[in-house]
Amino acid sequence: MNHHLVMEDAPAFISGLVDAADRSIDTLVDAPDGGAAALAHRPAMGRLLAMATVYTQPDSRHYLSAGLPGLMMGCVARLEYLQGPTGLFDGTNLSSPPDSAFTINDACMALEIMDAPAGLSAGGGLAEIATRLRAVVGRITDALLTGGVHTPNHRWELCAALARIHSLHQSEGVPRPELLQRIDQWLAEGIDQLPDGMYSERSPLYATAVTNPSLVAIADYANRPDLLEHVRANLAAFLPWFSSDGVTESLFSRRQDQWFRFNGEAFQLLYRRLASQDGNGDFAAAAAWLRQFPLLEPAKALARTRLDPWLHLQLPERESALGGGELPAAMTPGHAVLSSCGIHRFREARSVATIFGGCDDVASGVGSGLASNPTFLRFAHGDAVLTDVRLSRSFFDLGPFRSQGVSLSDTGVRLTEDVSANFYLPLPVDKHREDGLYALGHEGRFSAGMDFGNRPAVEHRLGTSITVIPQMAEGTVELELGFEGAHTSFAIELTFRPGGLLSGVEEETRGQPGAYQLTTGTGEYRVGEDVIEFGPGIAADADNPPAYNPGEAYRYLAGTNATDGVKVYITGRTSGSVRLAIRGRSVS
């Protein structure tokens, strides 16, 4: 890949933001009350911030638009209606300080824009809106000052709101030092950053939507520039985890984004801020490359740019890939690892392999705050993408393989898991009850009134190891599966991103209709000129169903964690070892 140094046209960045913000507002101007009548507090405030931003932007098509003040007034009225007696807002979480803090951060940004020279020059159209919005902030301040949270990132969102409120009070000449004291109390707990730069939730969604922008706001509005070191470390850690389509890897997340494709556009302004402030060429390259992907909230991005002088500066020189859409060198190391997340990525030319073995212990049940996605491998060659490789086994309905250990050797990455299940023997005589009623207990798989803890048990065990051997110079990864213990069936599930053509496989109608099975030789999945080959297949056997089992934790309530896409199964028995190769090539 060839690279050269480039410079950016900063005015083009701003004009692009303004144009995207205008288009996002175009859909609102014809809606009664800006469509705010049925909105929850966060989208109502987000809409108000967006309209205030373009209304005061001189080069916007909506600058001083006669219809916008009335629409903004509708949003303020909605906030006033939704505000409870303590000033807090209700949502999924009732009277929630952190959920309310999201709204108040946007409210403070809107007030800062209205109070800036561009806002003041807009005339009387904003005066009443600003007065009423300031009252909304005033009614909630004490509740945010004394309120609590329930996730790690909530602490920093709450502190960001307190920092912005403090800045508003400072500008009005009525400081409230207790706001800074409360921020210091939260910060004294320490920022939940893992050694490799990830935050404890390991989530790109929450890193971009909450933690990083909150730490930047606290740094700016509460004079805590030391907090930017955490943002720098997190942004550096994420650099290798972008795909050429703009998606950021989220497989290792402990939050909901582990289950969907996360759009990396959310990182653009964060990289831009630190690139400009630090003269960081790697961050500048990332920010410039991400500009090709549309911002999901362009008006809010414009507001942030208006309020942060670092964001509207020209990016420093950086190395950029020739050929337009290619990822720059800073984002494409041959090998990247996040040890705290149990994930590795290998790249060479058009092939990328991502190996994940960092699932949390889900013995207590799958739930929010745990990394439990059983996908252990992703592989892409150009436009052909194998989004998920999973291993399902028939073993007491305990669910798919989830690695409990990750180790790197000279040959590859080894993932391991041991699972067990018991059959229970009669209770010792001294533990008998005359009424035959024993305490309800949970034994790891299910609950029953059986006094499991006092019963002898016969244990059944299944140990599984998967060694992934990347041979990226050949565009290949090899998988070696090994089993110990129970002799049972397994199914390897390959899920491909839709849009390609399969060959070499058989349509499956028994285990999962609409899926396919590879029973011999090698299969291929082709998208344009890009091909992923996989195999060898294993002969079909009625005792080895080609299907994915999410486990009883899901199926008991008719749930699933199944993937979406084109599915191919390779089935077999848990005896000995099984080898599988996945190779990318281009037809041309």
Side-chain angles (χ1 to χ4, degrees), residues 558-576:
T560 187
N561 59 16
T563 57
D564 293 323
V566 180
K567 297 180 185 297
V568 178
Y569 292 94
I570 300 173
T571 64
R573 306 292 294 180
T574 59
S575 57

Side-chain angles (χ1 to χ4, degrees), residues 161-512:
L162 295 175
R164 284 191 166 101
I165 295 170
H166 165 74
S167 178
L168 289 175
H169 279 275
Q170 288 282 88
S171 66
E172 295 167 355
V174 285
R176 291 191 60 178
E178 66 270 27
L179 297 173
L180 294 181
Q181 292 166 6
R182 185 63 159 180
I183 293 171
D184 289 340
Q185 188 178 2
W186 283 115
L187 292 176
E189 297 181 6
I191 305 300
D192 56 315
Q193 190 159 46
L194 301 167
D196 51 26
M198 290 292 116
Y199 299 115
S200 65
E201 293 173 294
R202 302 179 357 186
S203 164
L205 169 61
Y206 286 94
T208 54
V210 188
T211 302
N212 282 329
S214 293
L215 294 179
V216 170
I218 302 164
D220 291 346
Y221 291 92
N223 194 28
R224 290 294 303 264
D226 54 298
L227 297 176
L228 295 179
E229 288 302 316
H230 298 283
V231 181
R232 292 182 178 100
N234 186 251
L235 294 181
F238 267 112
L239 276 174
W241 300 98
F242 291 83
S243 298
S244 57
D245 58 1
V247 171
T248 309
E249 185 58 69
S250 57
L251 187 57
F252 48 78
S253 174
R254 288 187 165 122
R255 300 303 300 272
Q256 62 265 40
D257 49 335
Q258 67 183 284
W259 304 110
F260 58 77
R261 298 174 65 202
F262 182 74
N263 190 335
E265 57 78 30
F267 280 91
Q268 184 189 148
L269 292 192
L270 291 164
Y271 279 120
R272 187 179 188 91
R273 160 66 188 257
L274 273 300
S276 297
Q277 185 168 349
D278 299 346
N280 186 316
D282 289 349
F283 288 3
W289 180 79
L290 286 165
R291 275 187 59 190
Q292 66 185 290
F293 304 104
L295 292 164
L296 297 182
E297 295 183 287
K300 186 170 183 177
L302 179 60
R304 287 172 61 184
T305 302
R306 288 261 299 275
L307 298 175
D308 185 342
W310 293 109
L311 289 178
H312 48 73
L313 296 182
Q314 181 168 288
L315 284 173
E317 286 188 350
R318 75 277 182 187
E319 196 174 36
S320 178
L322 294 172
E326 292 183 4
L327 281 155
M331 304 172 79
T332 54
H335 177 213
V337 58
L338 292 172
S339 297
S340 68
C341 303
I343 195 163
H344 292 258
R345 172 167 282 181
F346 298 87
R347 294 181 190 262
E348 179 71 27
R350 291 174 61 77
S351 295
V352 184
T354 303
I355 305 161
F356 175 58
C359 285
D360 291 316
D361 183 1
V362 297
S364 60
V366 174
S368 177
L370 295 175
S372 59
N373 193 320
T375 294
F376 66 86
L377 175 66
R378 287 176 168 163
F379 183 85
H381 181 79
D383 293 330
V385 181
L386 175 58
T387 60
D388 302 270
V389 181
R390 295 179 172 186
L391 174 63
S392 186
R393 302 145 308 174
S394 177
F395 186 79
F396 293 90
D397 222 7
L398 286 178
F401 172 85
R402 291 184 174 93
S403 179
Q404 299 169 344
V406 188
S407 59
L408 179 67
S409 68
D410 291 338
T411 57
V413 180
R414 188 169 186 265
L415 314 176
T416 58
E417 180 200 43
D418 282 282
V419 290
S420 62
N422 295 330
F423 287 106
Y424 294 92
L425 302 178
L427 276 171
V429 173
D430 62 340
K431 300 299 181 182
H432 288 183
R433 290 179 56 96
E434 288 187 9
D435 60 8
L437 298 174
Y438 299 91
L440 182 67
H442 187 71
E443 63 89 61
R445 290 192 299 136
F446 57 90
S447 300
M450 290 281 288
D451 197 6
F452 295 114
N454 285 314
R455 289 179 182 272
V458 177
E459 183 184 61
H460 290 251
R461 174 184 166 272
L462 177 61
T464 304
S465 67
I466 301 176
T467 302
V468 184
I469 305 166
Q471 299 172 337
M472 302 309 290
E474 291 79 41
T476 300
V477 294
E478 293 186 355
L479 278 66
E480 182 173 320
L481 282 64
F483 304 96
E484 293 181 355
H487 184 63
T488 185
S489 64
F490 72 80
I492 301 170
E493 181 188 68
L494 309 176
T495 303
F496 295 90
R497 184 175 297 170
L501 297 173
L502 268 175
S503 60
V505 298
E506 301 174 8
E507 188 166 3
E508 175 52 46
T509 58
R510 297 166 298 152
Q512 184 166 315

